[in-house]
Amino acid sequence: MTAARRYPANADLEARARRRVPGFAWDYFIGGIGPEQCLARNRESLEAIALMPRYLGGAVTPDLTAEVMGTRYDLPFGVAPMGLGGMIWPGAAEAMAGAAAAANIPFALSSYANTSLERIAEIAPSHAWYQHYVTNRPEVEAAMLSRTEAAGYRTLIVTVDIPTATKRDRDIKNGLTIPVTIRPRMIAQVAACPTWALATARSGMPQFPNLAPYAPDGSSMSEVAAFIGTIMEGHVTPDRLAQIRDAWPGRLVVKGVLDRRDAEVCRHIGADAVVASNHGGRQLDAAPAAAEVLADLRTALGPGIALLADGGMRSGLDIARMLAAGADFVLLGRAFMMGVAALGPPGAAHVIETLREELRSTLAQLGCPGVADLPHFRSHSGSIAPKLDPAARLA
């Protein structure tokens, strides 16, 4: 039986992925923060968005392409940056980057990924975006930006929603530390996942090749992790963001924006795009969901800045809902990682094709000719505030 028949929806991959990944890694991947109310809010906000079908308008062949920051992609979604992905499944970043390039969608590599930015630039030279955390060391920042540009990246994502270390209950209970150390309580979990264990043995425990070079020479992995923690601490001020804008010659995306005043700062400093995001429910459990703030952010940004969104999407229908709520483009993280964890490297392409077909089917059911027209099919009987007129959104 083919994967398409055995796993027709991405939700079908979860049970298999859960069996193949040790519990401590699974909890890190799937969990949020505190009681995880923000995780639930992300889903509830999407499910509250109703779409109004128009069945008497004639047949349509939906156009699924989308343009963002001057580049046209075959689909209106990309792969969100995910840190420590190599712990979830070794080689996950390489698999997702290759699948994204083949499908003509973007792949965003996290600073905390376990694959170097140079390697991903080789795999997906025209589709790779790099996600950067602002540091409190100017010399480190300058070196990181220069390295990213030299590798050929033209899109930099600056994530602003991690001003300090967080307290994630699942990780504390599991004894998960960075660097990852297999403790006695984890041995049985690893033994129950032999495919993961063998893949990890071949690749080695996750390293941080994008950040480790800036630690003092001779640092152990524990010392590298401690160093990274110290240089990432602190809020991103408007002045720091403006400095990065001045230093980075390519397209600048600011990720983690929920408040319209922060969006106005992004507009003022000349950002090319903003990502409405609560970091997958992993930072502040009381944070609003992206779908709840898109209308306010669109008003604050105006028509010339792309508005992206992430958080809670698992299906093509979810993508359609987020686009109808006001996003120009969306990013998904856990859905892609779930596919790789369940099926290995081919899982990334399987997820893309599943999302493509679900999105195509959704638009055809609505009678919607293209993703840019989705706001016209939004039912405003739900609780999510309407966005600006679609004519004002970025093409």
Side-chain angles (χ1 to χ4, degrees):
M1 184 183 296
T2 65
R5 293 193 63 182
R6 189 172 182 181
Y7 307 103
N10 290 327
D12 297 320
L13 298 167
E14 182 167 352
R16 179 175 170 84
R18 177 66 185 86
R19 292 193 302 269
R20 285 161 54 90
V21 177
F24 65 88
W26 180 263
D27 278 351
Y28 171 84
F29 160 56
I30 206 71
I33 193 168
E36 300 184 342
Q37 295 173 346
C38 194
L39 284 178
R41 188 175 303 114
N42 284 346
R43 285 301 313 164
E44 291 165 359
S45 67
L46 283 168
E47 291 166 3
I49 298 171
L51 302 175
M52 184 64 72
R54 299 174 189 171
Y55 291 121
L56 300 179
V60 297
T61 301
D63 178 7
L64 303 185
T65 64
E67 184 174 324
V68 61
M69 296 182 289
T71 299
R72 181 156 293 278
Y73 295 103
D74 286 356
L75 296 164
F77 60 84
V79 184
M82 290 173 281
L84 211 57
M87 180 182 70
I88 312 308
W89 201 264
E94 291 91 331
M96 290 185 285
N104 188 29
I105 64 173
F107 169 82
L109 181 74
S110 169
S111 297
Y112 283 91
N114 308 121
T115 305
S116 73
L117 61 91
E118 289 84 0
R119 175 61 181 142
I120 294 302
E122 293 173 357
I123 295 172
S126 301
H127 297 83
W129 299 356
Y130 185 65
Q131 180 259 348
H132 169 71
Y133 289 104
V134 177
T135 78
N136 52 29
R137 303 279 187 90
E139 70 281 8
V140 172
E141 188 112 288
M144 292 176 71
L145 295 183
S146 177
R147 178 182 166 195
T148 304
E149 182 183 0
Y153 288 81
R154 295 296 173 261
T155 300
L156 184 76
I157 303 174
V158 176
T159 293
V160 298
D161 59 359
I162 305 188
T164 188
T166 54
K167 175 178 171 287
R168 294 173 184 157
D169 297 351
R170 292 194 192 215
D171 296 343
I172 293 171
K173 292 175 183 177
N174 286 324
L176 180 64
T177 59
I178 306 300
V180 179
T181 301
I182 302 299
R183 303 179 186 280
R185 74 177 74 175
M186 300 174 178
I187 293 175
Q189 298 176 16
V190 172
C193 303
T195 306
W196 181 94
L198 288 172
T200 300
R202 286 193 296 267
S203 63
M205 293 305 292
Q207 308 284 313
F208 297 101
N210 298 312
L211 299 172
Y214 310 105
D217 291 342
S219 296
S220 67
M221 274 306 299
S222 294
E223 291 168 337
V224 168
F227 169 79
I228 292 171
T230 61
I231 68 172
M232 297 297 179
E233 184 78 13
H235 281 271
V236 181
T237 66
D239 286 346
R240 288 293 293 112
L241 196 58
Q243 290 169 7
I244 294 173
R245 172 67 285 182
D246 291 342
W248 177 251
R251 296 168 294 199
L252 183 71
V253 181
V254 183
K255 182 176 182 291
V257 173
L258 294 169
D259 186 272
R260 64 181 299 154
R261 289 162 293 190
D262 286 345
E264 289 166 356
V265 170
C266 295
R267 184 191 69 209
H268 179 72
I269 64 101
D272 297 286
V274 160
V275 184
S277 172
N278 56 34
H279 213 95
R282 295 171 63 81
Q283 292 302 114
L284 175 65
D285 211 28
E292 296 173 318
V293 300
L294 286 172
D296 277 351
L297 295 184
R298 181 76 279 166
T299 301
L301 291 172
I305 299 175
L307 178 55
L308 287 66
D310 68 17
M313 288 171 288
R314 296 287 189 272
S315 67
L317 175 58
D318 290 340
I319 292 170
R321 283 168 157 162
M322 193 72 88
L323 294 170
D328 298 310
F329 201 83
V330 298
L331 301 174
L332 299 89
R334 289 183 177 101
F336 284 102
M337 189 66 75
M338 199 87 71
V340 176
L343 303 176
H350 173 75
V351 169
I352 292 173
E353 291 311 307
T354 299
L355 295 172
R356 185 201 305 270
E357 178 53 29
E358 289 173 343
L359 182 60
R360 185 209 63 77
S361 177
T362 297
L363 266 64
Q365 281 288 322
L366 293 171
C368 179
V371 294
D373 302 293
L374 274 166
H376 293 293
F377 294 82
R378 166 79 182 282
S379 170
H380 294 296
S381 59
S383 60
I384 308 297
K387 59 168 283 178
L388 288 180
D389 186 279
R393 72 202 296 268
L394 191 70

